[in-house]
Coordinates of all heavy atoms in Angstrom, one line a residue:
Chain U
S158 N 16.3 37.1 15.3 CA 16.6 35.7 15.1 C 16.5 35.4 13.6 O 16.1 36.2 12.8 CB 15.6 34.8 15.9 OG 14.4 34.6 15.1
H159 N 16.9 34.1 13.3 CA 16.9 33.6 11.9 C 15.5 33.5 11.4 O 15.3 33.3 10.2 CB 17.6 32.3 11.9 CG 16.8 31.2 12.6 ND1 16.7 31.2 14.0 CD2 16.1 30.1 12.2 CE1 15.9 30.2 14.3 NE2 15.6 29.5 13.3
K160 N 14.5 33.5 12.3 CA 13.1 33.2 11.9 C 12.6 34.1 10.7 O 11.7 33.7 9.9 CB 12.2 33.3 13.1 CG 12.5 32.3 14.2 CD 12.1 30.9 13.9 CE 12.3 29.9 15.0 NZ 12.1 28.5 14.6
G184 N 6.7 29.0 19.8 CA 7.2 28.5 21.1 C 7.7 29.6 21.9 O 7.1 30.2 22.8
A185 N 9.0 30.0 21.6 CA 9.6 31.1 22.3 C 9.0 32.5 21.9 O 9.2 33.5 22.6 CB 11.1 31.1 21.9
G186 N 8.2 32.5 20.9 CA 7.6 33.7 20.4 C 8.4 34.4 19.3 O 7.9 35.3 18.6
Q187 N 9.6 33.8 19.0 CA 10.4 34.5 17.9 C 9.8 34.2 16.6 O 9.7 35.2 15.7 CB 11.8 33.9 17.9 CG 12.7 34.3 19.1 CD 12.7 35.8 19.2 OE1 12.0 36.5 20.0 NE2 13.6 36.5 18.4
H188 N 9.3 33.1 16.3 CA 8.6 32.8 15.0 C 7.3 33.6 14.9 O 6.9 34.1 13.9 CB 8.3 31.3 14.8 CG 7.6 31.1 13.5 ND1 8.0 31.5 12.3 CD2 6.3 30.5 13.3 CE1 7.1 31.1 11.4 NE2 6.1 30.6 12.0
G262 N 6.8 27.4 11.3 CA 8.1 28.1 11.7 C 9.3 27.3 11.7 O 10.4 27.8 12.1
S263 N 9.3 26.0 11.3 CA 10.5 25.2 11.3 C 10.5 24.2 10.1 O 9.5 24.1 9.4 CB 10.7 24.6 12.6 OG 12.1 24.1 12.7
V264 N 11.5 23.4 10.1 CA 11.7 22.4 9.0 C 10.9 21.2 9.4 O 11.4 20.1 9.4 CB 13.1 22.1 8.7 CG1 13.8 23.2 8.0 CG2 13.9 21.8 10.0
C303 N 21.8 24.7 17.2 CA 20.8 24.1 18.0 C 19.6 23.6 17.2 O 19.4 24.1 16.1 CB 20.2 25.1 19.1 SG 19.3 26.5 18.4
V304 N 18.9 22.7 17.7 CA 17.8 22.1 17.0 C 16.5 22.0 17.8 O 16.5 21.4 18.9 CB 18.1 20.6 16.6 CG1 16.9 19.9 15.9 CG2 19.3 20.6 15.7
G305 N 15.5 22.8 17.4 CA 14.2 22.6 18.0 C 13.4 21.8 17.0 O 13.4 20.5 17.1
G306 N 12.8 22.4 16.0 CA 12.3 21.7 14.8 C 13.5 21.5 13.9 O 13.6 20.5 13.2
G307 N 14.4 22.5 13.9 CA 15.6 22.3 13.2 C 15.9 23.3 12.1 O 16.7 23.0 11.2
S308 N 15.2 24.5 12.0 CA 15.3 25.3 10.9 C 16.7 26.1 10.8 O 17.3 26.2 9.7 CB 14.2 26.3 10.7 OG 14.2 27.2 11.8
N309 N 17.1 26.6 11.9 CA 18.4 27.3 11.8 C 19.5 26.3 11.5 O 20.5 26.6 10.8 CB 18.7 28.2 13.0 CG 19.3 27.5 14.2 OD1 20.5 27.4 14.3 ND2 18.5 26.9 15.1
A310 N 19.4 25.1 12.1 CA 20.4 24.1 11.8 C 20.4 23.6 10.4 O 21.4 23.5 9.7 CB 20.2 22.9 12.8
G367 N 11.7 27.6 22.7 CA 11.9 27.3 21.3 C 12.4 25.9 21.0 O 12.3 25.5 19.9
L368 N 12.9 25.2 22.0 CA 13.3 23.8 21.8 C 12.4 22.8 22.5 O 12.7 21.6 22.5 CB 14.8 23.7 22.3 CG 15.8 24.6 21.7 CD1 17.2 24.2 22.2 CD2 15.8 24.7 20.2
A412 N 20.2 34.0 22.8 CA 19.0 33.4 23.2 C 19.3 32.1 23.9 O 20.4 31.5 23.7 CB 18.1 33.2 22.0
E414 N 18.1 29.3 23.1 CA 18.1 28.2 22.1 C 19.6 28.0 21.7 O 20.1 26.9 21.8 CB 17.2 28.4 21.0 CG 15.7 28.3 21.4 CD 15.1 29.6 22.1 OE1 15.8 30.6 22.1 OE2 14.0 29.5 22.7
P415 N 20.2 29.0 21.1 CA 21.6 28.7 20.6 C 22.6 28.5 21.8 O 23.7 28.1 21.6 CB 21.9 30.0 19.8 CG 21.0 31.0 20.3 CD 19.7 30.3 20.6
S442 N 21.5 31.6 16.7 CA 20.3 31.8 16.0 C 19.4 33.0 16.5 O 18.5 33.4 15.8 CB 19.5 30.5 16.1 OG 19.3 30.1 17.4
G443 N 19.7 33.5 17.7 CA 18.9 34.6 18.2 C 19.5 35.3 19.4 O 20.4 34.7 20.0
K447 N 14.7 38.3 24.9 CA 13.5 37.7 25.3 C 13.7 36.8 26.5 O 12.7 36.5 27.2 CB 12.9 36.9 24.1 CG 13.8 35.7 23.8 CD 13.2 34.8 22.7 CE 14.2 33.7 22.3 NZ 14.4 32.7 23.2
Ligands
PLP17 C1 16.5 32.0 18.6 C2 15.9 30.6 18.3 N1 16.7 29.6 17.9 C3 16.2 28.4 17.6 C4 14.9 28.1 17.6 C5 14.5 26.7 17.3 O1 13.9 26.6 16.1 P1 14.7 25.9 14.9 O2 15.2 24.6 15.5 O3 13.6 25.7 13.9 O4 15.8 26.7 14.5 C6 14.0 29.1 18.0 C7 12.6 28.8 18.1 O5 11.8 29.5 18.6 C8 14.5 30.4 18.4 O6 13.7 31.4 18.8

Side-chain angles (χ1 to χ4, degrees):
Chain U
S158 82
H159 67 294
K160 297 286 182 187
Q187 289 304 98
H188 175 60
S263 193
V264 286
C303 67
V304 176
S308 67
N309 85 89
L368 303 189
E414 290 80 12
S442 56
K447 69 181 173 62

